[in-house]
Amino acid sequence: MEREIIALLLEQEVISEDMVDKLKNVDKDKLLDSLKEFALKNTEQIKYEDIRRGLKTNYVGQNIYCFPKVFSTNTLAKFLASKGAEDGTAVIAEVQTKARGRSGKKWESPKGGIWLSLVLRPNLPPSKASLITLATGVAVAKTLISLGVDAKIKWPNDVLVKGKKISGILTEASATLNEIDYIIVGVGIDINFKVKELDPELHDTVTTLNEELGKSVNENDIISLFLKEFEDIYDNYKSGNVEDILGQWRILSDTIGKYVEIRHPLGKVNYGYAIGINKEGCLIIEEADGQIEKMISGECRTLSGR
């Protein structure tokens, strides 16, 4: 177990070679606790005590692992989940060097954003796993709205402001046929950097909170706000209150009512008007011939001129 954790931390750029000996001397039963103590050190911009000071949750974010730099918070969260990390545990990084979005797409995560992953143990059947992506989108959108921007959700996992992406969500689950072992929800929110710092191909499609508000904002305060919004809707998710989640999602949707293109991993493409969302989180579209189709997953793009 010690070797696994140390190897992962080295790979994730959490520790350097000169820290290995210190961790090797830690009793294996206390290694995760020692890792947590190490992780609680403040980074330049992410301040653990500031997050905790504003945190009003009962359990989400009460266990926080905070790092200056990792390859991917989702990768680290999955490892911690496999070692027993509790429901609501948060992994936060100031920078991700090899983050990814849906379908393995590169996700740029420079300093000045919020890059976090949550370990969730909802005790639900695997069929309910996909709904957590919609619930997380609601939590992100409501957080941003409380800060003064008109955030909307694009199915299945993006949050937009004025049609430009400001946040993305990546959900990964470990489950058997009958139950979810854990779900990792990765959330990226563009906060205090300029779009021009990103790859030029993103300049016309991405925005940041700084650019929308015309000022810098405190990432730690936003993390605290988001964790509270998330816990509220996650409680609904665990209790089976699906209609409340879907009702909020529909109100905040930037997809319903629009003509869309849905591209699937193996090349199939569907076109139609997005007319709703069902209890499984699938997008319902009406195609040109009037046929109703259920989209379980896919890349969604809004088309004009229809």
Side-chain angles (χ1 to χ4, degrees):
M1 178 176 175
E2 299 100 316
R3 288 194 297 271
E4 288 181 273
I5 294 176
I6 291 169
L8 183 74
L9 295 179
L10 281 168
E11 177 191 351
Q12 289 283 299
E13 304 180 27
V14 171
I15 63 172
S16 56
E17 293 283 355
D18 59 0
M19 297 177 186
V20 171
D21 288 339
K22 180 181 177 181
L23 287 177
K24 280 182 177 177
N25 295 327
V26 175
D27 181 89
K28 69 177 183 179
D29 294 328
K30 297 180 179 178
L31 187 54
L32 287 178
D33 287 339
S34 297
L35 169 59
K36 184 176 180 181
E37 290 175 11
F38 170 77
L40 296 185
K41 293 179 180 178
N42 294 329
T43 71
E44 182 180 341
Q45 292 172 289
I46 305 300
K47 308 296 184 185
Y48 171 77
E49 290 302 331
D50 289 350
I51 295 170
R52 290 301 301 264
R53 192 176 299 116
L55 195 58
K56 297 178 181 178
T57 63
N58 293 314
Y59 61 99
V60 172
Q62 292 296 325
N63 290 319
I64 292 178
Y65 294 77
C66 183
F67 302 101
K69 180 169 65 173
V70 299
F71 276 12
S72 161
T73 58
N74 262 32
T75 300
L76 195 49
K78 281 191 286 186
F79 184 82
L80 294 173
S82 73
K83 301 304 178 184
E86 297 177 2
D87 190 28
T89 295
V91 178
I92 306 172
E94 192 172 64
V95 173
Q96 293 182 111
T97 58
K98 292 188 178 180
R100 65 194 188 283
R102 280 173 55 88
S103 305
K105 291 183 178 179
K106 181 181 177 183
W107 176 272
E108 294 200 39
S109 311
K111 188 177 291 186
I114 291 174
W115 323 118
L116 68 84
S117 296
L118 294 169
V119 176
L120 307 178
R121 300 188 185 276
N123 193 28
L124 291 171
S127 61
K128 303 295 184 182
S130 61
L131 280 174
I132 196 63
T133 301
L134 302 188
T136 305
V138 172
V140 172
K142 290 178 71 174
T143 299
L144 294 173
I145 289 168
S146 73
L147 297 167
V149 297
D150 185 20
K152 298 290 185 181
I153 307 168
K154 187 184 85 168
W155 185 87
N157 67 321
D158 290 340
V159 178
L160 312 177
V161 174
K162 299 176 185 175
K164 294 185 177 183
K165 184 171 179 175
I166 196 169
S167 175
I169 298 157
L170 178 63
T171 303
E172 301 176 89
S174 174
T176 65
L177 286 175
N178 299 316
E179 63 181 11
I180 295 170
D181 180 14
Y182 61 80
I183 300 173
I184 305 300
V185 174
V187 177
I189 309 176
D190 300 335
I191 305 292
N192 284 328
F193 59 87
K194 299 296 184 183
V195 172
K196 66 182 180 182
E197 298 175 29
L198 303 177
D199 191 298
E201 69 180 21
L202 301 174
H203 290 181
D204 293 332
T205 59
V206 170
T207 190
T208 70
L209 196 56
N210 177 293
E211 295 191 349
E212 294 300 323
L213 296 177
K215 62 180 181 181
S216 295
V217 287
N218 188 302
E219 293 103 318
N220 303 292
D221 291 344
I222 298 173
I223 291 171
S224 297
L225 284 170
F226 165 73
L227 292 174
K228 175 58 176 169
E229 290 286 359
F230 181 85
E231 183 177 274
D232 289 346
I233 201 162
Y234 180 49
D235 283 343
N236 279 340
Y237 170 75
K238 291 195 293 184
S239 66
N241 192 358
V242 174
E243 280 308 317
D244 181 75
I245 296 170
L246 296 180
Q248 293 188 66
W249 193 93
R250 291 179 183 115
I251 290 170
L252 295 167
S253 174
D254 188 67
T255 303
I256 294 176
K258 294 186 176 179
Y259 191 80
V260 298
E261 170 191 87
I262 308 294
R263 290 191 170 271
H264 304 277
L266 297 179
K268 181 181 177 181
V269 182
N270 289 90
Y271 297 93
Y273 283 100
I275 59 175
I277 199 94
N278 70 8
K279 290 184 177 181
E280 287 74 45
C282 300
L283 186 69
I284 309 302
I285 68 169
E286 182 179 0
E287 297 187 326
D289 61 1
Q291 186 166 331
I292 304 299
E293 295 286 353
K294 179 174 68 175
M295 302 292 106
I296 297 172
S297 63
E299 296 293 328
C300 178
R301 187 165 68 97
T302 300
L303 302 178
S304 59
R306 300 278 178 160

